[in-house]
Amino acid sequence: FLDDDQFENSFVFTVSFSEENRSLVPPFMGRSLLPATTEIGERVCQGGAMLYEEKCCINSLSWWFAKTKGTICPLRWVCPDHIEFAQLQPDRHVPRPGQTVLCRGYKIQLETRKSSIPGAGFGAWIMCSDPTPQKRTEFRLEAGELLDVGTYAPLQPADYKDEVVVLVKNFIFGWECETWSFGATSDTSSSRKGAASFNKVYDITSDSGKGKLHEFAKRNLLVYVNETDGKSTPHICAQTDPEGSIHYLLGHKYPADGALVFPVNKWYEVLIDYGSPYEDVRVRKGYSRLSGRMLKDREKKISENDLETLRDITNFSVDDVHTAICFIAKVEFDRSNFAEAIRTLIVSLCFYKRLMAVEQEFILFEPSGPNSFCDNGYTTIFANTLHLVKGQCGRLLDLECISADDLKKAIVESHASLFYVCQLVGSKGD
C-alpha cells in the first residue's frame, strides 16, 4: 500500500508478512523480529534491498565469504545512510544519470562522464567529500566492506525473462543483447543441454529496435560502469541480494587487494570485472583477453552460435515455442530493421518445423487421437501455439522488406524446406 507522507514529502510503503513467511524466522530469534506489518520509507525502498539487514534484524543474510590464497575474508554488505538519484545535463541527447550516496558522514557523488578508456564512451566516475567538521582527507573501505551503490537489475518486471525468449532475442538482434543479459536463477550455460534446463534471465535491453538498452536502463548510472583490463583491481563487484536483484557494491572483496581508498575532492573512474563468462562479448567487440590458439577457438565457437541456437529449437517443448512466439508477436518490423525481420523469419520457420515434429511424435505416442484420457489439454495448447506460429510466419512473409532471395536464405538456414513454406502460405488465412 502507498500512503503520502506529508512530513517528508515522500512515499511510505506498508509491507505485510504472511504467517507462512514469519514462520521461516528461526524460533530462537522470535517472531517479533519480523512483525506482521511494517512501514518502509521511500529512502529505503529506492535502493531495493538497501538496509535489508536493518529492517529484518537478521545479520546473517548480509554476510558472504570470499576465499583467496588460503585466507578467509568476511564480506560485509554496507548499507548507505541515504541515496538520491538524478539526471544530469544530457550529452548530445544521451542521458547522463547521476546519484549521491551518504555513508559514514561522507558525501559520495557518482556521475556519468567520458571514460578514461579509449573508445569506451561514457564511464562511471566517483568523487568523495567530507562535509563534516572533521574534514577527513580520504574515504576508506576495508577489504571485505562492500558499499551498496544501487540496483543494476531488474529495473522493471519485463527485465525478468524466460531464457528461451532471451536466446531467441539474441539470435534476432545479432547477439547484441548478450552484452546486457545474464542468468537470474542459475548458470545459463546449461541451456545447451535441452529444453528442460532452461532458466530465467535478466535482460535490460529493449524488445524492439536493435536490442540496445531500454529507456529505464539508460537512466541507470550503473550500466555505464566499464570493465578493467583484467589485470588491475576492480572497484565494483556485483552481488545478488536476498530477493534476487543484482546490486553493484563498491569495495575490494579480497584481503590481498587491501582497503579501497579514495582521496577526497577528486574524480576517479570506477571499474568492474565481469570475469570469464563475459569473454564472448569481449571477443565480439574486439577487446578479448584471450590470444593465440585460445582466441581462435573462441572465435570459431562464437561463429557457430547461430547454428547452435537453431539446433536448440529442436529441443523446445510446445510451451517453449509458445513463450518465444508470444515475444516475437510484440516486435515491429519495417525497412529500418529488415535484417532482424529475416532472422525472425528463420526462427519462426524453425518453430513451425519443430511443431510439425512434435505433432508426429504425439500421433505415434497417442494413436487413439486427441480425445484420449492422456491428452490432458495438450492438443488445445498445441493448436493455439501452432496458430500463433502460422500467424507470425504469415506476417513476416507479407513484409515488403523481405525479398525472394531473403526468403530463400531463410529456408536454407532454417532447414525448413520449401514444403513447409508452401504449407504456411496456403494456411495464412487460418
Side-chain angles (χ1 to χ4, degrees):
F1 303 96
L2 278 176
D3 297 314
D4 187 34
D5 186 345
Q6 299 179 358
F7 299 98
E8 296 184 4
N9 193 28
S10 63
F11 291 113
V12 171
F13 293 76
T14 301
V15 182
S16 299
F17 298 96
S18 67
E19 285 301 313
E20 181 181 2
N21 287 332
R22 297 183 69 206
S23 67
L24 297 177
V25 178
F28 68 88
M29 299 184 71
R31 289 192 181 184
S32 60
L33 290 177
L34 189 63
T37 62
T38 186
E39 291 186 345
I40 303 177
E42 184 180 15
R43 176 177 67 87
V44 177
C45 294
Q46 274 190 318
M50 291 180 181
L51 300 183
Y52 190 94
E53 173 184 11
E54 175 184 308
K55 299 306 298 183
C56 295
C57 301
I58 304 177
N59 296 336
S60 60
L61 285 177
S62 61
W63 286 76
W64 284 263
F65 290 88
K67 185 174 183 180
T68 177
K69 299 180 181 178
T71 304
I72 298 294
C73 174
L75 300 184
R76 184 167 187 268
W77 190 312
V78 180
C79 301
D81 300 315
H82 184 69
I83 185 168
E84 292 182 358
F85 303 91
Q87 292 297 319
L88 309 176
Q89 185 67 30
D91 186 312
R92 298 178 183 178
H93 305 293
V94 177
R96 287 188 60 230
Q99 60 191 62
T100 301
V101 177
L102 301 183
C103 180
R104 299 174 179 173
Y106 288 91
K107 179 180 180 181
I108 304 168
Q109 294 173 266
L110 293 105
E111 291 186 4
T112 45
R113 298 181 167 204
K114 185 177 180 180
S115 176
S116 59
I117 303 172
F122 285 110
W125 293 72
I126 187 172
M127 182 175 73
C128 305
S129 59
D130 182 9
T132 70
Q134 301 177 55
K135 298 300 178 185
R136 292 163 289 186
T137 59
E138 63 182 27
F139 174 72
R140 183 184 185 91
L141 289 169
E142 299 297 335
E145 287 187 319
L146 304 176
L147 174 62
D148 194 337
V149 291
T151 306
Y152 182 90
L155 303 174
Q156 57 182 3
D159 292 347
Y160 191 63
K161 293 183 173 70
D162 287 286
E163 191 183 8
V164 291
V165 169
V166 177
L167 184 67
V168 169
K169 184 177 176 180
N170 261 317
F171 180 90
I172 292 173
F173 294 119
W175 301 93
E176 180 65 31
C177 313
E178 187 179 35
T179 306
W180 310 103
S181 58
F182 41 91
T185 55
S186 64
D187 183 4
T188 59
S189 62
S190 63
S191 66
R192 300 299 180 187
K193 298 176 183 177
S197 61
F198 286 125
N199 301 301
K200 292 289 186 177
V201 175
Y202 286 137
D203 169 46
I204 57 174
T205 64
S206 172
D207 288 343
S208 59
K210 300 291 184 178
K212 304 292 185 180
L213 288 171
H214 59 58
E215 290 304 313
F216 286 111
K218 289 178 183 178
R219 286 166 172 74
N220 182 10
L221 177 139
L222 301 181
V223 305
Y224 298 95
V225 177
N226 289 315
E227 265 207 301
T228 68
D229 57 5
K231 300 175 182 178
S232 58
T233 302
H235 314 94
I236 298 281
C237 64
Q239 181 67 56
T240 305
D241 72 19
E243 297 298 323
S245 297
I246 304 295
H247 289 243
Y248 271 14
L249 308 179
L250 180 70
H252 289 161
K253 270 189 172 184
Y254 306 114
D257 296 329
L260 176 63
V261 179
F262 287 116
V264 299
N265 302 324
K266 292 183 180 180
W267 286 101
Y268 299 90
E269 184 172 11
V270 291
L271 302 172
I272 193 171
D273 190 339
Y274 295 125
S276 57
Y278 200 69
E279 194 58 41
D280 281 5
V281 175
R282 298 189 194 104
V283 173
R284 293 183 198 278
K285 293 183 177 292
Y287 58 93
S288 175
R289 296 176 181 176
L290 304 177
S291 60
R293 181 71 181 185
M294 293 181 67
L295 177 57
K296 290 184 179 296
D297 289 345
R298 184 60 67 96
E299 289 174 338
K300 183 177 184 298
K301 173 181 174 293
I302 290 174
S303 69
E304 297 171 349
N305 276 3
D306 281 356
L307 181 58
E308 196 172 357
T309 299
L310 299 181
R311 287 173 179 165
D312 278 344
I313 293 177
T314 64
N315 291 322
F316 273 25
S317 66
V318 174
D319 285 338
D320 291 334
V321 174
H322 185 273
T323 299
I325 202 67
C326 285
F327 160 74
I328 288 176
K330 301 175 184 177
V331 182
E332 297 295 331
F333 298 103
D334 54 35
R335 293 188 179 278
S336 67
N337 60 351
F338 73 93
E340 288 77 14
I342 295 169
R343 293 175 71 83
T344 304
L345 178 58
I346 293 170
V347 169
S348 300
L349 289 173
C350 286
F351 286 159
Y352 184 70
K353 179 182 176 183
R354 173 58 180 156
L355 291 178
M356 293 299 95
V358 169
E359 185 177 46
Q360 290 302 312
E361 292 171 5
F362 187 68
I363 290 173
L364 292 174
F365 178 76
E366 198 61 60
S368 56
N371 295 322
S372 166
F373 71 92
C374 292
D375 180 72
N376 197 27
Y378 172 83
T379 51
T380 301
I381 298 171
F382 179 87
N384 291 339
T385 305
L386 181 61
H387 178 76
L388 288 172
V389 170
K390 286 183 176 181
Q392 291 310 308
C393 287
R395 175 174 74 111
L396 293 163
L397 289 169
D398 279 340
L399 290 176
E400 294 181 1
C401 61
I402 295 184
S403 66
D405 288 338
D406 295 329
L407 178 57
K408 291 177 183 177
K409 176 184 176 183
I411 294 172
V412 171
E413 294 198 22
S414 64
H415 300 281
S417 82
L418 186 60
F419 172 73
Y420 284 128
V421 176
C422 291
Q423 275 190 322
L424 290 167
V425 171
S427 63
K428 280 163 62 176
D430 290 359

